[in-house]
Amino acid sequence: MAQKPTIPKGTRDFSPAEVSKRNYIFSTIKHQFQKFGFQPIETPSFENSDTLMGKYGEEGDRLIFKILNSGDFLKKVDDHAFAEKNSQKITTQISEKALRYDLTVPFARYVVQHQNEIEFPFKRYQIQPVWRADRPQKGRFREFYQCDADVVGSDSLWQEVEFVQLYDAVFTALGLEGVTLKINNRKILSGFAEVIGESDKLIDFTVALDKLDKIGEEGVIKEMQEKGISAEAIKTIQPIFSLTGDFSTKIQGLKEILAESEEGKKGIEELQFIQRALEAMPLETAKLDLDVTLARGLNYYTGAIFEVAAPEKVKMGSIGGGGRYDDLTGIFGLKNMSGVGISFGLDRIYLVLEELGLFPASAEANTQVIFINFGEKEALYAMKAVKELRTQHIAAEMYPDAAKMKKQMNHANKRNISFVVLAGTKEMEEEKYTLKNMKTGEQSSVSLQEMIKTIS
RNA sequence: GUGGUUGUAGCUCAGCUGGUUAGAGCGCUGGUUUGUGGUACCAGAAGUCGCCGGUUCGAACCCGGUCUUCCACCCCA
């Protein structure tokens, strides 16, 4: 055999069984999206580079896959930049397009571009692959699907409430129990920075704080010190590390810490609104938890921040996230367009469902009945029945070749097909079919109508 | 992007300090069984030992590079 072909790092092939299971997740999520009034859109796999570049920070820019210009792309390159091997400069000259990195920024572009056709508030969902030139790990790929739902054009906190309910509805429908919906608010993080007089170091502060569950209190303090946050400031903020208890208890603690911050207090109010609403309408399976250390990387969030943690027994990073961004479309020139959205990490949800054995048997589409092929005349007799079964919405097929019986039975068995029909000369004379149940091994002589009844 | 790790038959993996024709289980193909699968028994096919180069009389094994896997960081779904 020749050298086996391979696929690029961080990409995957999907077998029929895997595709079926993935489709099960897609359709479950889609169904819930639609129930909540979201409409689907799709955007191109690649965008103009300037649509994407600079929207995700320096780190994000590095992870964006750039598409090489076609034609003699070196012609346009600046000799000076080429001589000094200035990759960044050359990149902008040889690449004008890039693969999308997420669905949120393309959505913002969509909203701005189609603002005159869109009826606001606009609720859209989008399920498409995204690409990141990241180093793969478990649950981290270079090509993966995101399932996003966003609303733009409304400041109402009812949107946040609905998104929490949407998360709950999806995970309930998937039978995934023990999911924690972590919520925080950017205004609270700003409040912290304000209270300690380090507002200009908000990003460094939140990035460090976000690592609490990973590196512990000491690690966070150490990182904050390294970023130049004063020991005094850190001491002031220390109470946030000991915020425990239920949602309301944490809120009380926050009120004390943020008493001096107007923005912080606004954040608390927003959280309380959401919490009260959800107290009146309890979630089915998910658990809502206030996590003041939740920051998430994207700096365009301005209000609520969401992150979904898989059940504790599964070792998996977050399986979803989202938040409120007051000015997402501002980067494309459309001001005062508040939006909020959430995202589901399909590939990770798949891994979690697989690990917990939560895929229903029905997730795997399969042929229900296969006819044994005994030869030319018999095959025609069989195909007539197959045709009728298909009109009755039964997935039916005939083995295409008059191969040995054993081979055909084996094929049915390997493909896990529930019923096999044997129809030879004897059956043809009686206008009957021998229907065999492959699970029990039982078989009986039936008419076509009886067969349809048994199978469906 | 940094550091580490992995790669042997379709799959899961053995292969001792470098030494003849590289093994096992499962799977696959055929047969026992010409209208009956899953079990059993018998037989058989299948590997440029990830790839390229180096050291050596000799490399799956040692060295370098590269790709891939997984992990930690970074970041993140």
Side-chain angles (χ1 to χ4, degrees):
Chain A
M1 201 180 5
Q3 183 62 47
K4 272 178 219 158
T6 56
I7 53 173
K9 187 202 301 204
T11 63
R12 292 140 313 145
D13 282 328
F14 298 110
S15 66
E18 287 166 330
V19 172
S20 295
K21 290 188 217 167
R22 288 167 66 86
N23 283 342
Y24 159 73
I25 301 177
F26 281 142
S27 61
T28 304
I29 293 177
K30 244 186 240 179
H31 183 65
Q32 298 302 326
F33 280 174
Q34 279 165 357
K35 271 203 330 200
F36 278 72
F38 291 87
Q39 294 179 299
I41 69 161
E42 291 191 9
T43 63
S45 320
F46 54 94
E47 296 270 351
N48 293 324
S49 294
D50 52 10
T51 301
L52 304 180
M53 297 298 284
K55 306 301 190 297
Y56 310 98
E58 210 176 303
E59 191 66 30
D61 281 1
R62 208 194 74 212
L63 298 178
I64 291 173
F65 275 107
K66 287 98 185 166
I67 297 172
L68 198 57
N69 289 347
S70 34
D72 189 2
F73 53 84
L74 279 181
K75 218 186 260 175
K76 289 187 203 160
V77 175
D78 179 273
D79 286 339
H80 186 64
F82 194 74
E84 36 172 40
K85 296 195 174 174
N86 185 333
S87 301
Q88 223 180 341
K89 217 175 214 170
I90 294 172
T91 300
T92 60
Q93 291 172 6
I94 64 174
S95 164
E96 288 159 359
K97 297 174 286 300
L99 290 177
R100 68 168 165 254
Y101 176 88
D102 71 358
L103 301 178
T104 309
V105 169
F107 172 55
R109 190 226 82 220
Y110 178 95
V111 169
V112 176
Q113 196 174 326
H114 300 277
Q115 52 186 285
N116 295 325
E117 308 148 32
I118 293 171
E119 169 62 21
F120 294 100
F122 181 44
K123 300 168 81 170
R124 84 88 172 76
Y125 76 83
Q126 193 171 352
I127 300 179
Q128 288 188 283
V130 303
W131 295 269
R132 296 186 187 177
D134 206 355
R135 279 239 188 142
Q137 279 179 38
K138 184 182 180 185
R140 278 178 94 150
F141 309 98
R142 302 184 107 179
E143 176 184 64
F144 62 98
Y145 270 79
Q146 284 194 335
C147 313
D148 277 26
D150 289 79
V151 182
V152 287
S154 167
D155 290 330
S156 169
L157 285 168
W158 285 111
Q159 307 291 2
E160 275 86 338
V161 172
E162 280 207 284
F163 278 121
V164 172
Q165 291 176 321
L166 176 54
Y167 266 138
D168 183 49
V170 167
F171 292 118
T172 301
L174 289 171
L176 183 59
E177 290 174 10
V179 165
T180 305
L181 304 176
K182 294 197 267 184
I183 186 170
N184 192 16
N185 195 299
R186 194 78 181 187
K187 296 185 175 89
I188 287 183
L189 295 169
S190 302
F192 288 153
E194 187 187 335
V195 164
I196 61 172
E198 301 274 11
S199 286
D200 55 326
K201 293 206 176 72
L202 175 64
I203 300 289
D204 286 337
F205 173 80
T206 53
V207 167
L209 189 59
D210 194 40
K211 292 180 190 164
L212 181 64
D213 57 342
K214 211 166 200 175
I215 58 180
E217 188 175 330
E218 277 172 43
V220 171
I221 291 173
K222 196 175 153 220
E223 181 159 337
M224 286 183 178
Q225 281 171 336
E226 281 165 9
K227 295 290 182 185
I229 294 168
S230 76
E232 200 184 327
I234 292 170
K235 207 173 171 192
T236 317
I237 208 67
Q238 216 141 0
I240 64 177
F241 295 124
S242 43
L243 271 183
T244 49
D246 63 15
F247 208 107
S248 311
T249 316
K250 286 181 188 168
I251 291 276
Q252 284 312 314
L254 276 181
K255 280 185 175 165
E256 285 169 34
I257 299 168
L258 294 170
E260 301 300 316
S261 164
E262 284 308 313
E263 193 170 12
K265 283 196 278 191
K266 184 87 189 8
I268 293 172
E269 271 173 40
E270 292 185 12
L271 281 174
Q272 273 188 307
F273 179 91
I274 296 165
Q275 186 217 3
R276 283 181 187 142
L278 291 168
E279 250 172 22
M281 298 175 282
L283 298 177
E284 287 181 66
T285 55
K287 184 171 155 275
L288 186 71
D289 187 29
L290 172 58
D291 181 356
V292 298
T293 70
L294 179 61
R296 297 183 52 78
L298 298 171
N299 16 22
Y300 50 63
Y301 290 130
T302 52
I305 302 173
F306 302 112
E307 184 165 296
V308 184
E312 270 175 44
K313 54 191 161 183
V314 190
K315 230 187 135 204
M316 181 64 68
S318 71
I319 55 175
R324 163 78 66 176
Y325 37 85
D326 277 335
D327 197 29
L328 184 71
T329 57
I331 52 181
F332 297 117
L334 180 63
K335 302 284 180 200
N336 301 318
M337 186 59 80
S338 187
V340 54
I342 60 171
S343 179
F344 291 82
L346 166 91
D347 298 273
R348 288 189 177 177
I349 291 171
Y350 181 99
L351 292 172
V352 170
L353 293 186
E354 186 77 320
E355 196 170 328
L356 297 176
L358 291 176
F359 282 109
S362 59
E364 233 172 289
N366 198 3
T367 292
Q368 292 161 275
V369 53
I370 188 163
F371 283 64
I372 299 292
N373 186 331
F374 285 111
E376 225 172 289
K377 277 182 198 156
E378 292 90 339
L380 181 62
Y381 181 70
M383 278 308 286
K384 283 180 179 166
V386 165
K387 185 169 180 257
E388 179 56 25
L389 287 174
R390 287 172 179 164
T391 65
Q392 299 296 321
H393 306 291
I394 292 170
E397 59 185 288
M398 177 186 74
Y399 195 87
D401 306 296
K404 278 184 188 163
M405 181 82 177
K406 181 176 172 129
K407 190 176 168 68
Q408 300 191 44
M409 291 299 287
N410 224 326
H411 179 75
N413 195 47
K414 294 243 171 70
R415 287 187 50 201
N416 215 0
I417 296 171
S418 313
F419 293 96
V420 169
V421 172
L422 299 91
T425 347
K426 200 174 66 189
E427 284 88 349
M428 284 167 71
E429 278 168 18
E430 299 171 4
E431 284 189 30
K432 294 243 169 166
Y433 305 85
T434 299
L435 180 65
K436 175 164 178 139
N437 182 323
M438 292 297 275
K439 273 165 201 139
T440 62
E442 289 164 7
Q443 62 184 55
S444 54
S445 179
V446 297
S447 69
L448 190 53
Q449 285 315 310
E450 288 165 335
M451 190 197 301
I452 290 166
K453 222 174 143 191
T454 310
I455 296 171
S456 53

